[in-house]
Amino acid sequence: MTTSYRTLGFIFKKEDKFEADRNFSVFTKDFGRVEVLGKSIRKIASKLRGGIEIFSFSEIEFVQGKVRKTLTDSVAEKRFNNIYKPEKLKISYNISEMLDDFLKGEEKDEKIMSLIEDVFTKLEDYKKENCSIVYYYFLWNFISLLGYEPELSNCPICQQKLNPYNLYFSNKEGGVICRSCYSLKKESLKIKSDIVKILRLILKKDFDILSRLKISSDIGNSLSAVSEGYKNYLSPKNI
Ligand SMILES: [Zn+2]
């Protein structure tokens, strides 16, 4: 007899297999990341078809075979219908890529689960054209939940309080370092105090203020550089 499992999950990746199958990567409430195969799901008549879509929450049921998990039922629980615009989709795929890179094992994590729901709800409701702040909100809070919360108050090397005019982000030290430590190490990115302020707001999850910030292209580029730099430094695929 095969045992079947039922759980709620967020579908963050899909990949077509064989003639009509599709593999789904799902971050689930009870088992962490799982890969489930939807057999013949791409056929019009498939009953599984409507219940599971990328970037949505579904209740899924699967059986564990010798080599893979096979989807046996799926019920859509929460969809985000307002994310199918180029800018929002781009962010959805960026988030998906991070989940794919960083979440490898079957390890459940309720905080990550609620962050995903929180972020997609924000993306769904976001009104401004440029919504990259939603992505950075995810990126830094996700990295922090994985244990890499950046140090933003004191230099992690010498413990001195940081001077807002001389700030450098160090991936290796996991935070903002001071000028004297920078002059010894050099492997950091000079940043403005505005970046530190934005990162603090992100980690405080003060999205109300974040969504009203006017971010200049200069600060936007710097935020992108420091965020992508830290993410890539930590990414398991680059180790
Ligand atoms: Zn220092």
Side-chain angles (χ1 to χ4, degrees), residues 65-94:
K66 277 206 184 82
V67 286
R68 67 168 68 94
K69 296 175 175 60
T70 304
L71 188 68
T72 48
D73 189 24
S74 61
V75 181
E77 283 291 324
K78 189 166 188 178
R79 286 198 173 133
F80 303 96
N81 296 316
N82 197 25
I83 60 167
Y84 295 89
K85 295 168 184 167
E87 181 75 8
K88 289 188 175 182
L89 262 186
K90 194 182 93 193
I91 287 172
S92 304
Y93 279 105
N94 286 343

PDB file of all heavy atoms in Angstrom, residues 65-94:
ATOM      1  N   GLY A  65       6.924   7.462  -4.360  1.00  0.00           N
ATOM      2  CA  GLY A  65       7.334   6.240  -5.044  1.00  0.00           C
ATOM      3  C   GLY A  65       8.792   5.949  -4.728  1.00  0.00           C
ATOM      4  O   GLY A  65       9.383   6.592  -3.865  1.00  0.00           O
ATOM      5  N   LYS A  66       9.368   4.993  -5.443  1.00  0.00           N
ATOM      6  CA  LYS A  66      10.774   4.651  -5.202  1.00  0.00           C
ATOM      7  C   LYS A  66      11.699   5.808  -5.522  1.00  0.00           C
ATOM      8  O   LYS A  66      12.638   6.085  -4.808  1.00  0.00           O
ATOM      9  CB  LYS A  66      11.158   3.438  -6.053  1.00  0.00           C
ATOM     10  CG  LYS A  66      10.767   2.121  -5.418  1.00  0.00           C
ATOM     11  CD  LYS A  66      11.680   1.001  -5.919  1.00  0.00           C
ATOM     12  CE  LYS A  66      11.262  -0.354  -5.387  1.00  0.00           C
ATOM     13  NZ  LYS A  66      10.173  -0.973  -6.158  1.00  0.00           N
ATOM     14  N   VAL A  67      11.435   6.469  -6.642  1.00  0.00           N
ATOM     15  CA  VAL A  67      12.336   7.556  -7.028  1.00  0.00           C
ATOM     16  C   VAL A  67      11.713   8.942  -6.990  1.00  0.00           C
ATOM     17  O   VAL A  67      12.415   9.935  -6.953  1.00  0.00           O
ATOM     18  CB  VAL A  67      12.934   7.342  -8.442  1.00  0.00           C
ATOM     19  CG1 VAL A  67      13.990   6.273  -8.417  1.00  0.00           C
ATOM     20  CG2 VAL A  67      11.844   7.008  -9.446  1.00  0.00           C
ATOM     21  N   ARG A  68      10.418   9.004  -7.020  1.00  0.00           N
ATOM     22  CA  ARG A  68       9.831  10.341  -7.050  1.00  0.00           C
ATOM     23  C   ARG A  68       8.467  10.401  -6.372  1.00  0.00           C
ATOM     24  O   ARG A  68       7.870   9.378  -6.057  1.00  0.00           O
ATOM     25  CB  ARG A  68       9.696  10.826  -8.494  1.00  0.00           C
ATOM     26  CG  ARG A  68       8.694  10.042  -9.331  1.00  0.00           C
ATOM     27  CD  ARG A  68       8.425  10.773 -10.626  1.00  0.00           C
ATOM     28  NE  ARG A  68       9.583  10.785 -11.494  1.00  0.00           N
ATOM     29  CZ  ARG A  68       9.795   9.888 -12.455  1.00  0.00           C
ATOM     30  NH1 ARG A  68       8.931   8.924 -12.667  1.00  0.00           N
ATOM     31  NH2 ARG A  68      10.859   9.958 -13.214  1.00  0.00           N
ATOM     32  N   LYS A  69       8.051  11.643  -6.163  1.00  0.00           N
ATOM     33  CA  LYS A  69       6.722  11.889  -5.605  1.00  0.00           C
ATOM     34  C   LYS A  69       5.783  12.205  -6.759  1.00  0.00           C
ATOM     35  O   LYS A  69       6.132  12.997  -7.638  1.00  0.00           O
ATOM     36  CB  LYS A  69       6.766  13.084  -4.651  1.00  0.00           C
ATOM     37  CG  LYS A  69       7.641  12.866  -3.437  1.00  0.00           C
ATOM     38  CD  LYS A  69       7.719  14.132  -2.601  1.00  0.00           C
ATOM     39  CE  LYS A  69       8.484  13.899  -1.310  1.00  0.00           C
ATOM     40  NZ  LYS A  69       9.876  13.452  -1.515  1.00  0.00           N
ATOM     41  N   THR A  70       4.632  11.585  -6.730  1.00  0.00           N
ATOM     42  CA  THR A  70       3.673  11.821  -7.805  1.00  0.00           C
ATOM     43  C   THR A  70       2.434  12.514  -7.257  1.00  0.00           C
ATOM     44  O   THR A  70       1.860  12.091  -6.250  1.00  0.00           O
ATOM     45  CB  THR A  70       3.284  10.483  -8.474  1.00  0.00           C
ATOM     46  OG1 THR A  70       4.481   9.853  -8.914  1.00  0.00           O
ATOM     47  CG2 THR A  70       2.372  10.715  -9.665  1.00  0.00           C
ATOM     48  N   LEU A  71       2.071  13.581  -7.941  1.00  0.00           N
ATOM     49  CA  LEU A  71       0.908  14.366  -7.541  1.00  0.00           C
ATOM     50  C   LEU A  71      -0.368  13.568  -7.791  1.00  0.00           C
ATOM     51  O   LEU A  71      -0.558  13.011  -8.875  1.00  0.00           O
ATOM     52  CB  LEU A  71       0.899  15.655  -8.380  1.00  0.00           C
ATOM     53  CG  LEU A  71      -0.101  16.748  -8.034  1.00  0.00           C
ATOM     54  CD1 LEU A  71       0.250  17.379  -6.690  1.00  0.00           C
ATOM     55  CD2 LEU A  71      -0.096  17.818  -9.123  1.00  0.00           C
ATOM     56  N   THR A  72      -1.239  13.503  -6.767  1.00  0.00           N
ATOM     57  CA  THR A  72      -2.491  12.770  -6.960  1.00  0.00           C
ATOM     58  C   THR A  72      -3.709  13.685  -6.848  1.00  0.00           C
ATOM     59  O   THR A  72      -4.796  13.341  -7.289  1.00  0.00           O
ATOM     60  CB  THR A  72      -2.623  11.625  -5.929  1.00  0.00           C
ATOM     61  OG1 THR A  72      -2.321  12.139  -4.628  1.00  0.00           O
ATOM     62  CG2 THR A  72      -1.677  10.486  -6.253  1.00  0.00           C
ATOM     63  N   ASP A  73      -3.521  14.841  -6.222  1.00  0.00           N
ATOM     64  CA  ASP A  73      -4.640  15.783  -6.133  1.00  0.00           C
ATOM     65  C   ASP A  73      -4.089  17.174  -5.850  1.00  0.00           C
ATOM     66  O   ASP A  73      -3.020  17.312  -5.251  1.00  0.00           O
ATOM     67  CB  ASP A  73      -5.591  15.361  -4.995  1.00  0.00           C
ATOM     68  CG  ASP A  73      -6.887  16.177  -4.998  1.00  0.00           C
ATOM     69  OD1 ASP A  73      -7.252  16.710  -6.066  1.00  0.00           O
ATOM     70  OD2 ASP A  73      -7.520  16.288  -3.931  1.00  0.00           O
ATOM     71  N   SER A  74      -4.803  18.195  -6.277  1.00  0.00           N
ATOM     72  CA  SER A  74      -4.384  19.557  -5.952  1.00  0.00           C
ATOM     73  C   SER A  74      -5.598  20.470  -5.950  1.00  0.00           C
ATOM     74  O   SER A  74      -6.477  20.354  -6.799  1.00  0.00           O
ATOM     75  CB  SER A  74      -3.350  20.060  -6.961  1.00  0.00           C
ATOM     76  OG  SER A  74      -3.902  20.080  -8.248  1.00  0.00           O
ATOM     77  N   VAL A  75      -5.633  21.328  -4.946  1.00  0.00           N
ATOM     78  CA  VAL A  75      -6.735  22.280  -4.832  1.00  0.00           C
ATOM     79  C   VAL A  75      -6.126  23.663  -4.661  1.00  0.00           C
ATOM     80  O   VAL A  75      -5.337  23.890  -3.745  1.00  0.00           O
ATOM     81  CB  VAL A  75      -7.618  21.967  -3.591  1.00  0.00           C
ATOM     82  CG1 VAL A  75      -8.777  22.948  -3.497  1.00  0.00           C
ATOM     83  CG2 VAL A  75      -8.114  20.533  -3.620  1.00  0.00           C
ATOM     84  N   ALA A  76      -6.470  24.585  -5.545  1.00  0.00           N
ATOM     85  CA  ALA A  76      -5.929  25.941  -5.441  1.00  0.00           C
ATOM     86  C   ALA A  76      -6.438  26.593  -4.160  1.00  0.00           C
ATOM     87  O   ALA A  76      -7.629  26.544  -3.865  1.00  0.00           O
ATOM     88  CB  ALA A  76      -6.355  26.753  -6.651  1.00  0.00           C
ATOM     89  N   GLU A  77      -5.523  27.159  -3.382  1.00  0.00           N
ATOM     90  CA  GLU A  77      -5.910  27.792  -2.119  1.00  0.00           C
ATOM     91  C   GLU A  77      -5.845  29.309  -2.205  1.00  0.00           C
ATOM     92  O   GLU A  77      -6.679  30.006  -1.686  1.00  0.00           O
ATOM     93  CB  GLU A  77      -4.982  27.319  -0.991  1.00  0.00           C
ATOM     94  CG  GLU A  77      -5.285  25.932  -0.482  1.00  0.00           C
ATOM     95  CD  GLU A  77      -6.615  25.861   0.267  1.00  0.00           C
ATOM     96  OE1 GLU A  77      -6.952  26.828   0.970  1.00  0.00           O
ATOM     97  OE2 GLU A  77      -7.311  24.834   0.136  1.00  0.00           O
ATOM     98  N   LYS A  78      -4.782  29.809  -2.828  1.00  0.00           N
ATOM     99  CA  LYS A  78      -4.631  31.256  -2.910  1.00  0.00           C
ATOM    100  C   LYS A  78      -3.874  31.623  -4.172  1.00  0.00           C
ATOM    101  O   LYS A  78      -2.754  31.165  -4.381  1.00  0.00           O
ATOM    102  CB  LYS A  78      -3.866  31.760  -1.677  1.00  0.00           C
ATOM    103  CG  LYS A  78      -3.852  33.256  -1.568  1.00  0.00           C
ATOM    104  CD  LYS A  78      -3.395  33.699  -0.195  1.00  0.00           C
ATOM    105  CE  LYS A  78      -3.579  35.190  -0.027  1.00  0.00           C
ATOM    106  NZ  LYS A  78      -3.195  35.630   1.308  1.00  0.00           N
ATOM    107  N   ARG A  79      -4.501  32.424  -4.983  1.00  0.00           N
ATOM    108  CA  ARG A  79      -3.850  32.857  -6.218  1.00  0.00           C
ATOM    109  C   ARG A  79      -3.592  34.345  -6.162  1.00  0.00           C
ATOM    110  O   ARG A  79      -4.298  35.076  -5.489  1.00  0.00           O
ATOM    111  CB  ARG A  79      -4.760  32.557  -7.405  1.00  0.00           C
ATOM    112  CG  ARG A  79      -4.789  31.091  -7.719  1.00  0.00           C
ATOM    113  CD  ARG A  79      -5.315  30.859  -9.119  1.00  0.00           C
ATOM    114  NE  ARG A  79      -5.171  29.452  -9.440  1.00  0.00           N
ATOM    115  CZ  ARG A  79      -6.128  28.710  -9.980  1.00  0.00           C
ATOM    116  NH1 ARG A  79      -7.282  29.254 -10.296  1.00  0.00           N
ATOM    117  NH2 ARG A  79      -5.916  27.441 -10.235  1.00  0.00           N
ATOM    118  N   PHE A  80      -2.575  34.756  -6.891  1.00  0.00           N
ATOM    119  CA  PHE A  80      -2.250  36.182  -6.963  1.00  0.00           C
ATOM    120  C   PHE A  80      -2.468  36.604  -8.407  1.00  0.00           C
ATOM    121  O   PHE A  80      -1.589  36.481  -9.248  1.00  0.00           O
ATOM    122  CB  PHE A  80      -0.807  36.408  -6.500  1.00  0.00           C
ATOM    123  CG  PHE A  80      -0.559  35.901  -5.105  1.00  0.00           C
ATOM    124  CD1 PHE A  80      -0.011  34.648  -4.889  1.00  0.00           C
ATOM    125  CD2 PHE A  80      -0.915  36.667  -4.004  1.00  0.00           C
ATOM    126  CE1 PHE A  80       0.195  34.166  -3.598  1.00  0.00           C
ATOM    127  CE2 PHE A  80      -0.723  36.201  -2.714  1.00  0.00           C
ATOM    128  CZ  PHE A  80      -0.169  34.948  -2.514  1.00  0.00           C
ATOM    129  N   ASN A  81      -3.673  37.067  -8.679  1.00  0.00           N
ATOM    130  CA  ASN A  81      -4.037  37.319 -10.076  1.00  0.00           C
ATOM    131  C   ASN A  81      -3.471  38.611 -10.640  1.00  0.00           C
ATOM    132  O   ASN A  81      -3.480  38.830 -11.836  1.00  0.00           O
ATOM    133  CB  ASN A  81      -5.558  37.333 -10.217  1.00  0.00           C
ATOM    134  CG  ASN A  81      -6.137  35.973  -9.888  1.00  0.00           C
ATOM    135  OD1 ASN A  81      -5.610  34.946 -10.326  1.00  0.00           O
ATOM    136  ND2 ASN A  81      -7.191  35.951  -9.085  1.00  0.00           N
ATOM    137  N   ASN A  82      -2.964  39.441  -9.739  1.00  0.00           N
ATOM    138  CA  ASN A  82      -2.503  40.750 -10.171  1.00  0.00           C
ATOM    139  C   ASN A  82      -0.985  40.831 -10.376  1.00  0.00           C
ATOM    140  O   ASN A  82      -0.409  41.907 -10.391  1.00  0.00           O
ATOM    141  CB  ASN A  82      -2.966  41.784  -9.124  1.00  0.00           C
ATOM    142  CG  ASN A  82      -2.912  43.195  -9.646  1.00  0.00           C
ATOM    143  OD1 ASN A  82      -2.977  43.422 -10.855  1.00  0.00           O
ATOM    144  ND2 ASN A  82      -2.751  44.145  -8.743  1.00  0.00           N
ATOM    145  N   ILE A  83      -0.328  39.676 -10.491  1.00  0.00           N
ATOM    146  CA  ILE A  83       1.132  39.731 -10.652  1.00  0.00           C
ATOM    147  C   ILE A  83       1.560  39.452 -12.094  1.00  0.00           C
ATOM    148  O   ILE A  83       2.738  39.367 -12.389  1.00  0.00           O
ATOM    149  CB  ILE A  83       1.861  38.744  -9.705  1.00  0.00           C
ATOM    150  CG1 ILE A  83       1.426  37.305  -9.966  1.00  0.00           C
ATOM    151  CG2 ILE A  83       1.640  39.116  -8.239  1.00  0.00           C
ATOM    152  CD1 ILE A  83       2.326  36.269  -9.294  1.00  0.00           C
ATOM    153  N   TYR A  84       0.584  39.307 -12.985  1.00  0.00           N
ATOM    154  CA  TYR A  84       0.939  38.950 -14.362  1.00  0.00           C
ATOM    155  C   TYR A  84       1.187  40.163 -15.245  1.00  0.00           C
ATOM    156  O   TYR A  84       0.573  40.347 -16.281  1.00  0.00           O
ATOM    157  CB  TYR A  84      -0.105  37.991 -14.942  1.00  0.00           C
ATOM    158  CG  TYR A  84      -0.067  36.691 -14.182  1.00  0.00           C
ATOM    159  CD1 TYR A  84      -0.847  36.503 -13.047  1.00  0.00           C
ATOM    160  CD2 TYR A  84       0.832  35.689 -14.548  1.00  0.00           C
ATOM    161  CE1 TYR A  84      -0.758  35.333 -12.303  1.00  0.00           C
ATOM    162  CE2 TYR A  84       0.927  34.515 -13.813  1.00  0.00           C
ATOM    163  CZ  TYR A  84       0.134  34.348 -12.692  1.00  0.00           C
ATOM    164  OH  TYR A  84       0.238  33.198 -11.954  1.00  0.00           O
ATOM    165  N   LYS A  85       2.081  41.020 -14.740  1.00  0.00           N
ATOM    166  CA  LYS A  85       2.535  42.177 -15.515  1.00  0.00           C
ATOM    167  C   LYS A  85       4.045  42.061 -15.572  1.00  0.00           C
ATOM    168  O   LYS A  85       4.643  41.537 -14.629  1.00  0.00           O
ATOM    169  CB  LYS A  85       2.148  43.470 -14.790  1.00  0.00           C
ATOM    170  CG  LYS A  85       0.647  43.663 -14.714  1.00  0.00           C
ATOM    171  CD  LYS A  85       0.277  44.773 -13.758  1.00  0.00           C
ATOM    172  CE  LYS A  85      -1.234  44.855 -13.647  1.00  0.00           C
ATOM    173  NZ  LYS A  85      -1.648  45.697 -12.519  1.00  0.00           N
ATOM    174  N   PRO A  86       4.666  42.563 -16.646  1.00  0.00           N
ATOM    175  CA  PRO A  86       6.104  42.304 -16.834  1.00  0.00           C
ATOM    176  C   PRO A  86       6.968  42.567 -15.597  1.00  0.00           C
ATOM    177  O   PRO A  86       7.746  41.707 -15.199  1.00  0.00           O
ATOM    178  CB  PRO A  86       6.483  43.244 -17.979  1.00  0.00           C
ATOM    179  CG  PRO A  86       5.214  43.496 -18.708  1.00  0.00           C
ATOM    180  CD  PRO A  86       4.099  43.370 -17.725  1.00  0.00           C
ATOM    181  N   GLU A  87       6.797  43.735 -14.980  1.00  0.00           N
ATOM    182  CA  GLU A  87       7.653  44.093 -13.849  1.00  0.00           C
ATOM    183  C   GLU A  87       7.432  43.158 -12.651  1.00  0.00           C
ATOM    184  O   GLU A  87       8.373  42.691 -12.016  1.00  0.00           O
ATOM    185  CB  GLU A  87       7.371  45.551 -13.461  1.00  0.00           C
ATOM    186  CG  GLU A  87       8.193  46.078 -12.309  1.00  0.00           C
ATOM    187  CD  GLU A  87       9.642  46.375 -12.690  1.00  0.00           C
ATOM    188  OE1 GLU A  87       9.986  46.321 -13.890  1.00  0.00           O
ATOM    189  OE2 GLU A  87      10.419  46.652 -11.781  1.00  0.00           O
ATOM    190  N   LYS A  88       6.171  42.858 -12.372  1.00  0.00           N
ATOM    191  CA  LYS A  88       5.848  41.992 -11.236  1.00  0.00           C
ATOM    192  C   LYS A  88       6.247  40.538 -11.507  1.00  0.00           C
ATOM    193  O   LYS A  88       6.700  39.830 -10.614  1.00  0.00           O
ATOM    194  CB  LYS A  88       4.355  42.080 -10.912  1.00  0.00           C
ATOM    195  CG  LYS A  88       3.963  43.416 -10.296  1.00  0.00           C
ATOM    196  CD  LYS A  88       2.528  43.416  -9.815  1.00  0.00           C
ATOM    197  CE  LYS A  88       2.214  44.727  -9.090  1.00  0.00           C
ATOM    198  NZ  LYS A  88       0.846  44.748  -8.559  1.00  0.00           N
ATOM    199  N   LEU A  89       6.098  40.122 -12.755  1.00  0.00           N
ATOM    200  CA  LEU A  89       6.495  38.752 -13.100  1.00  0.00           C
ATOM    201  C   LEU A  89       7.997  38.569 -12.985  1.00  0.00           C
ATOM    202  O   LEU A  89       8.481  37.543 -12.521  1.00  0.00           O
ATOM    203  CB  LEU A  89       6.059  38.421 -14.525  1.00  0.00           C
ATOM    204  CG  LEU A  89       4.761  37.646 -14.676  1.00  0.00           C
ATOM    205  CD1 LEU A  89       4.555  37.279 -16.138  1.00  0.00           C
ATOM    206  CD2 LEU A  89       4.741  36.380 -13.818  1.00  0.00           C
ATOM    207  N   LYS A  90       8.719  39.609 -13.390  1.00  0.00           N
ATOM    208  CA  LYS A  90      10.180  39.554 -13.307  1.00  0.00           C
ATOM    209  C   LYS A  90      10.593  39.334 -11.849  1.00  0.00           C
ATOM    210  O   LYS A  90      11.450  38.506 -11.543  1.00  0.00           O
ATOM    211  CB  LYS A  90      10.775  40.871 -13.848  1.00  0.00           C
ATOM    212  CG  LYS A  90      12.260  40.804 -14.116  1.00  0.00           C
ATOM    213  CD  LYS A  90      12.794  42.138 -14.602  1.00  0.00           C
ATOM    214  CE  LYS A  90      13.303  42.945 -13.432  1.00  0.00           C
ATOM    215  NZ  LYS A  90      13.560  44.353 -13.748  1.00  0.00           N
ATOM    216  N   ILE A  91       9.943  40.064 -10.945  1.00  0.00           N
ATOM    217  CA  ILE A  91      10.250  39.924  -9.525  1.00  0.00           C
ATOM    218  C   ILE A  91       9.844  38.539  -9.013  1.00  0.00           C
ATOM    219  O   ILE A  91      10.574  37.901  -8.261  1.00  0.00           O
ATOM    220  CB  ILE A  91       9.584  41.068  -8.735  1.00  0.00           C
ATOM    221  CG1 ILE A  91      10.373  42.344  -9.035  1.00  0.00           C
ATOM    222  CG2 ILE A  91       9.529  40.785  -7.245  1.00  0.00           C
ATOM    223  CD1 ILE A  91       9.775  43.597  -8.522  1.00  0.00           C
ATOM    224  N   SER A  92       8.705  38.054  -9.475  1.00  0.00           N
ATOM    225  CA  SER A  92       8.266  36.713  -9.073  1.00  0.00           C
ATOM    226  C   SER A  92       9.305  35.666  -9.470  1.00  0.00           C
ATOM    227  O   SER A  92       9.626  34.764  -8.694  1.00  0.00           O
ATOM    228  CB  SER A  92       6.927  36.368  -9.726  1.00  0.00           C
ATOM    229  OG  SER A  92       5.967  37.344  -9.409  1.00  0.00           O
ATOM    230  N   TYR A  93       9.842  35.794 -10.687  1.00  0.00           N
ATOM    231  CA  TYR A  93      10.856  34.831 -11.133  1.00  0.00           C
ATOM    232  C   TYR A  93      12.170  34.992 -10.374  1.00  0.00           C
ATOM    233  O   TYR A  93      12.862  34.010 -10.102  1.00  0.00           O
ATOM    234  CB  TYR A  93      11.072  34.919 -12.651  1.00  0.00           C
ATOM    235  CG  TYR A  93      10.005  34.149 -13.406  1.00  0.00           C
ATOM    236  CD1 TYR A  93       8.976  34.801 -14.069  1.00  0.00           C
ATOM    237  CD2 TYR A  93      10.012  32.751 -13.414  1.00  0.00           C
ATOM    238  CE1 TYR A  93       7.972  34.090 -14.731  1.00  0.00           C
ATOM    239  CE2 TYR A  93       9.024  32.029 -14.071  1.00  0.00           C
ATOM    240  CZ  TYR A  93       8.006  32.706 -14.729  1.00  0.00           C
ATOM    241  OH  TYR A  93       7.021  31.992 -15.368  1.00  0.00           O
ATOM    242  N   ASN A  94      12.510  36.231 -10.012  1.00  0.00           N
ATOM    243  CA  ASN A  94      13.717  36.440  -9.203  1.00  0.00           C
ATOM    244  C   ASN A  94      13.575  35.768  -7.839  1.00  0.00           C
ATOM    245  O   ASN A  94      14.516  35.160  -7.324  1.00  0.00           O
ATOM    246  CB  ASN A  94      13.980  37.933  -8.983  1.00  0.00           C
ATOM    247  CG  ASN A  94      14.499  38.612 -10.232  1.00  0.00           C
ATOM    248  OD1 ASN A  94      14.955  37.953 -11.165  1.00  0.00           O
ATOM    249  ND2 ASN A  94      14.421  39.931 -10.275  1.00  0.00           N
TER     250      ASN A  94
END
